[in-house]
Amino acid sequence: MHIVIMGCGRVGSTLAHILEDSGHSVAIIDRDPQAFRRLRAGFRGRRVTGIGFDRDVLEEAGIESAGAYVAVSSGDNSNIISARVARETFGVDNVVARIYDSRRAEVYQRLGIPTVATVRWTADQILRRVLPEGAEPLWRDPTGSVVLAEVAYHPGWIGIRARDLEEAAATRLAFINRMGETLLPKNDSVVQEGDILHVMAAENDMERINKVLSGGPEEGH
């Protein structure tokens, strides 16, 4: 696949190297030609100097044959505009834009542009490492209203059927990680010692779910 990246900062250059190592062809755009110094000496992709939402610049980068477009410059507006141009003008279906202002995420989502809210994602990653217990968000939708979270649970849940746990906590188990293997819960699945449980739920419901699971089956009913 040919992939066009706008922004040759640390994220853009890292993505370019990873994608090229995976066998994809890459073109990377940046308005500052000095930014291409971040690319390794052996980088084989195109380096295009210019603005990522300029039609001529995009065409030079091979947007017409691109299977994906990634906008990771330092400007929210530039990222969104260029992603919309890639999708609406050149018909690239697989686009993603990085943003810093997570409050805009819902607006961008309505425009059909998948976004990565940098500050929110970074905060979640830090929280997962400093909070050993409780609900740890692994993913949240762009509006921040739905989360996929790893949850701590009372040892009393060990040996309990997954569906009974779901009923007690009024939530849905998304998956179980068991000894490094990811399992989708079935009707007869039973929680085993060492299982890592993940739930998909509304963010404003996570405190209640965590309280139920940390209290044990007896307290959960």
Side-chain angles (χ1 to χ4, degrees):
M1 183 191 304
H2 181 58
I3 300 167
V4 178
I5 300 171
M6 184 185 81
C8 194
R10 284 180 292 183
V11 174
S13 58
T14 299
L15 283 172
H17 294 151
I18 292 172
L19 290 168
E20 187 174 74
D21 289 343
S22 298
H24 301 288
S25 65
V26 179
I28 190 161
I29 301 168
D30 203 289
R31 66 176 64 196
D32 180 7
Q34 298 300 316
F36 299 127
R37 291 182 176 181
R38 292 188 174 91
L39 297 170
R40 62 193 176 198
F43 179 69
R44 300 184 301 276
R46 305 181 202 175
R47 301 168 175 84
V48 181
T49 303
I51 300 173
F53 47 83
D54 181 277
R55 186 183 183 114
D56 291 337
V57 170
L58 288 169
E59 289 178 347
E60 184 180 349
I63 193 69
E64 292 171 316
S65 62
Y69 182 82
V70 180
V72 287
S73 76
S74 59
D76 285 6
N77 291 337
S78 295
N79 289 340
I80 291 300
I81 292 170
S82 66
R84 292 191 66 185
V85 170
R87 169 168 285 176
E88 297 170 12
T89 302
F90 294 98
V92 180
D93 291 327
N94 192 13
V95 303
V96 64
R98 179 178 68 173
I99 63 171
Y100 288 88
D101 184 358
S102 59
R103 293 172 298 179
R104 297 180 177 181
E106 185 175 0
V107 175
Y108 298 152
Q109 189 75 2
R110 290 174 181 170
L111 295 175
I113 305 297
T115 59
V116 177
T118 306
V119 174
R120 178 72 263 178
W121 184 88
T122 302
D124 285 346
Q125 294 298 305
I126 292 171
L127 288 171
R128 288 184 58 211
R129 287 160 175 77
V130 300
L131 298 178
E133 297 184 353
E136 302 179 0
L138 303 174
W139 172 91
R140 70 178 67 232
D141 79 308
T143 68
S145 60
V146 177
V147 298
L148 171 67
E150 177 185 324
V151 290
Y153 57 94
H154 189 279
W157 291 106
I158 297 172
I160 301 295
R161 290 184 304 178
R163 66 179 181 180
D164 291 334
L165 180 147
E166 289 179 322
E167 182 179 351
T171 190
R172 177 66 60 86
L173 273 178
F175 62 90
I176 300 171
N177 186 281
R178 180 174 294 161
M179 299 180 67
E181 183 179 358
T182 300
L183 307 172
L184 296 177
K186 299 179 180 178
N187 285 337
D188 59 349
S189 296
V190 173
V191 178
Q192 298 182 13
E193 185 174 1
D195 280 356
I196 301 174
L197 307 182
H198 299 80
V199 301
M200 182 73 77
E203 185 187 30
N204 59 14
D205 201 28
M206 287 307 304
E207 183 177 354
R208 180 195 62 79
I209 293 170
N210 187 55
K211 183 177 181 180
V212 171
L213 295 181
S214 63
E218 294 77 13
E219 297 179 43
H221 290 291

